[in-house]
Amino acid sequence: MDDQGLPGKGAPLEAKYLSGGTQNEIYKLDRDGFTCVIRIPPTGAPADRDSGIIREWRIIQALDGTDVPHTAAVAACEDTSVLGRSFYLMGYVDGWSPMDQHGVWPEPYNSDLSTRPGLAYQLAEGIALLSKVDWKAQGLHDLGRPDGFHDRQVDRWTRFFDRIKARELDGIDVATKWLQAHRPLDYVPGLMHGDYQFANVMFEHGAPAKLAALVDWEMGTVGDPKLDLGWMLMNWPEDMTVEGAGQGGYADLRGMPDRAKMVQHYSEVSGRQVDDLDYYLILAKWKLAIILEQGYQRAGDDPKLQSFGPVVVSAMREAAELAESTDYKG
């Protein structure tokens, strides 16, 4: 921090644990009134997390000066002799995360359902703005391989499933063949988050809702931004008037706009056509099922990973059913 010329030189540094897991740990750092956040892999994280951390840093750094709500880029360190792993410092966001609410929105969003549409529209707006970033001008020309993106999605994850396969999944053949036959012939490459949902954003305190930052860039790349849209909406209710719609997940969606309105808002802000949304919804469900299947196969006695089992089956079946019912012809 001193070498980077950050404030507070000579003052004691205080660290407060915020969150973490097997891939990353996050601490709030305070030094003489200067506050930031460190994101660093734990000691036992895979070796490639060091390069992954720097990849995340590049994205955050590239977002500076754009309209995308994000944490400020403070500094990065690739020298593992400093703390044992590569790490970066980002600005502290004085806001709240839906993942910290234990299924209950903070006020006024909990008791006043009329305030909730703002949360949803802000969520959609985040990736719409992200898709508009000039990634080449921001120095991310080598971040991903946009050419052949959809060819690799289907082929890569099919090979991945074949490696981990330990049981048959109903619908996987139907969904896979449909995706192979309906790959977009043309698309506009853009910066994408890769795991976009309420869990990976933060909001400013109070109302009306205002997105404070997109966070957790582990899956960030240059590809087809509409996959972020499909990922965000794959379990979003088509009709919010149906009894029970929007309930049952980690975020209570009651009072929020239905899927069509979310898609319309994304399209208006991003400028992208969304006529082929079914493809992205099917791809998202199919891909999620395969990713979670790996966790389920490694579950052992872990109840969280064990719970992935029925989720995998449901997601793959839904992907196949949507593929069989869609009128989208590519």
Side-chain angles (χ1 to χ4, degrees), residues 34-37 60 70-75 88-94 213:
F34 174 71
T35 303
C36 63
V37 173
I60 293 173
H70 64 282
T71 56
V74 177
Y88 64 84
L89 306 181
M90 56 186 172
Y92 175 71
V93 177
D94 184 16

Side-chain angles (χ1 to χ4, degrees), residues 123-124 127 196 227-238 257-260 262-264 266 277 281 284-285:
L123 181 69
I127 47 169
Y196 196 71
L227 182 51
D228 276 343
L229 178 65
W231 197 266
M232 178 184 72
L233 295 178
M234 64 176 150
N235 294 315
W236 201 279
E238 288 188 74
D258 58 27
R259 183 191 292 168
M262 291 285 283
V263 172
Q264 180 182 0
Y266 172 87
L277 178 64
L281 293 173
K285 289 177 180 290

Side-chain angles (χ1 to χ4, degrees), residues 120-310:
Y121 287 132
Q122 281 287 290
L123 181 69
E125 196 159 310
I127 47 169
L129 293 172
L130 181 65
S131 75
K132 298 175 71 174
V133 171
D134 187 340
W135 48 279
K136 290 182 179 179
Q138 296 299 105
L140 299 179
H141 55 280
D142 60 343
L143 185 71
R145 294 183 295 152
D147 292 342
F149 175 81
H150 287 289
D151 295 336
R152 290 196 305 277
Q153 285 292 299
V154 178
D155 294 346
R156 172 194 174 190
W157 290 105
T158 297
R159 290 194 301 269
F160 178 83
F161 179 75
D162 289 341
R163 289 199 302 271
I164 66 168
K165 183 177 178 180
R167 60 173 177 166
E168 298 295 331
L169 290 182
D170 181 31
I172 189 170
D173 290 340
V174 171
T176 302
K177 290 177 181 178
W178 190 94
L179 289 169
Q180 290 171 331
H182 295 85
R183 293 169 181 167
L185 298 178
D186 189 27
Y187 76 98
V188 180
L191 191 56
M192 55 180 289
H193 183 277
D195 187 18
Y196 196 71
Q197 52 180 309
F198 270 126
N200 288 328
V201 299
M202 294 186 69
F203 289 92
E204 294 183 6
H205 294 294
K210 186 174 182 180
L211 205 59
L214 280 61
V215 296
D216 292 351
W217 292 96
E218 292 178 36
M219 304 298 292
T221 191
V222 173
D224 189 340
K226 285 195 291 185
L227 182 51
D228 276 343
L229 178 65
W231 197 266
M232 178 184 72
L233 295 178
M234 64 176 150
N235 294 315
W236 201 279
E238 288 188 74
D239 185 354
M240 282 294 187
T241 65
V242 175
E243 184 177 356
Q247 301 180 62
Y250 70 86
D252 182 358
L253 305 183
R254 289 177 301 164
M256 296 189 185
D258 58 27
R259 183 191 292 168
K261 292 179 180 177
M262 291 285 283
V263 172
Q264 180 182 0
H265 187 68
Y266 172 87
S267 181
E268 290 173 350
V269 176
S270 69
R272 292 175 180 262
Q273 66 81 19
V274 290
D275 296 340
D276 52 357
L277 178 64
D278 282 344
Y279 173 87
Y280 296 92
L281 293 173
I282 294 167
L283 177 59
K285 289 177 180 290
W286 175 87
K287 185 176 177 180
L288 177 67
I290 293 174
I291 291 172
L292 294 184
E293 179 68 4
Q294 181 186 38
Y296 175 66
Q297 296 299 337
R298 296 176 174 178
D301 296 328
D302 187 330
K304 179 181 179 181
L305 295 180
Q306 289 175 351
S307 70
F308 289 171

Side-chain angles (χ1 to χ4, degrees), residues 76-91:
C77 179
E78 296 186 64
D79 184 355
T80 57
S81 69
V82 177
L83 288 178
R85 305 300 302 255
S86 296
F87 63 90
Y88 64 84
L89 306 181
M90 56 186 172

